[in-house]
Amino acid sequence: MFERILLATDGSPDAEQALVYTRDLALRDNAQVIVVHAFESVPTYLGDPVEGRVVARHVSAGEEVANAAAAKLREAGVDLSVELLEGPAADAILSVADVRKCDLIVMGSRGHGALASLIVGSVSQRVLTGARAPVLIVKAREEQA
Ligand code: ATP
Ligand code: MG
């Protein structure tokens, strides 16, 4: 039924469970998966060597999250690509979903943030509001959270 599934991950327990659903759906439907991770942008102060190091740290932390998810999917035999983007996560997810014509977005209910007053995290909320594709919001099983 699905041809191209977008998995949004920040490496959190809910996102890890989203990966499990993505894997099973992709294998069932022989779908392609696009793993999306957005890392925080750093304001640019021209010529500041400290800023260069901060950017490099953000990129490599982002790569680690994206590559860990990609490795798990690849091991299961899923056909996938990775999109590592800079900037607000919801914008990244929505634009990849549009440009790559994804027919399902899978993501966690919560991430690493801890604003417990929200029903779902702000990234999930913005994607739910803005996405044209169906969105599957996943929670970690209790023992994993
Ligand atoms: P908030 O960030 O609003 O404080 P939160 O961290 O609990 O709250 P979200 O950030 O909305 O919740 O996370 C929900 C889901 O969104 C995550 O499980 C993950 O699937 C996705 N997500 C969050 N951040 C990113 C990111 N930087 N890149 C890709 N996907 C992300
Ligand atoms: Mg968050």
Side-chain angles (χ1 to χ4, degrees):
M1 183 188 175
F2 298 114
E3 289 180 6
R4 196 170 296 134
I5 302 171
L6 188 159
L7 170 67
T9 185
D10 61 350
S12 61
D14 284 1
E16 284 296 300
Q17 190 64 9
L19 184 150
V20 171
Y21 278 84
T22 302
R23 179 197 67 200
D24 290 355
L25 286 168
L27 292 174
R28 185 194 72 175
D29 292 2
N30 204 15
Q32 272 181 7
V33 171
I34 304 175
V35 175
V36 175
H37 177 71
F39 59 90
E40 244 178 90
S41 47
V42 181
T44 40
Y45 304 109
L46 279 179
D48 182 347
V50 174
E51 186 237 323
R53 284 201 296 275
V54 174
V55 174
R57 205 163 58 226
H58 282 228
V59 172
S60 72
E63 275 172 350
E64 231 169 81
V65 171
N67 291 341
K72 283 181 198 160
L73 292 169
R74 201 171 289 121
E75 208 171 284
V78 172
D79 174 16
L80 70 103
S81 59
V82 173
E83 298 265 3
L84 187 62
L85 294 139
E86 180 176 0
D91 293 341
I93 294 161
L94 291 169
S95 77
V96 172
D98 261 2
V99 171
R100 305 280 307 268
K101 298 192 170 36
C102 296
D103 50 8
L104 179 68
I105 298 170
V106 188
M107 62 195 304
S109 171
R110 307 304 310 263
H112 285 302
L115 276 181
S117 59
L118 295 175
I119 294 166
V120 294
S122 62
V123 178
S124 294
Q125 193 175 0
R126 286 197 54 207
V127 171
L128 269 174
T129 309
R132 284 192 288 197
V135 181
L136 177 61
I137 300 276
V138 175
K139 283 186 185 165
R141 293 202 310 268
E142 225 138 75
E143 65 269 26
Q144 296 170 314

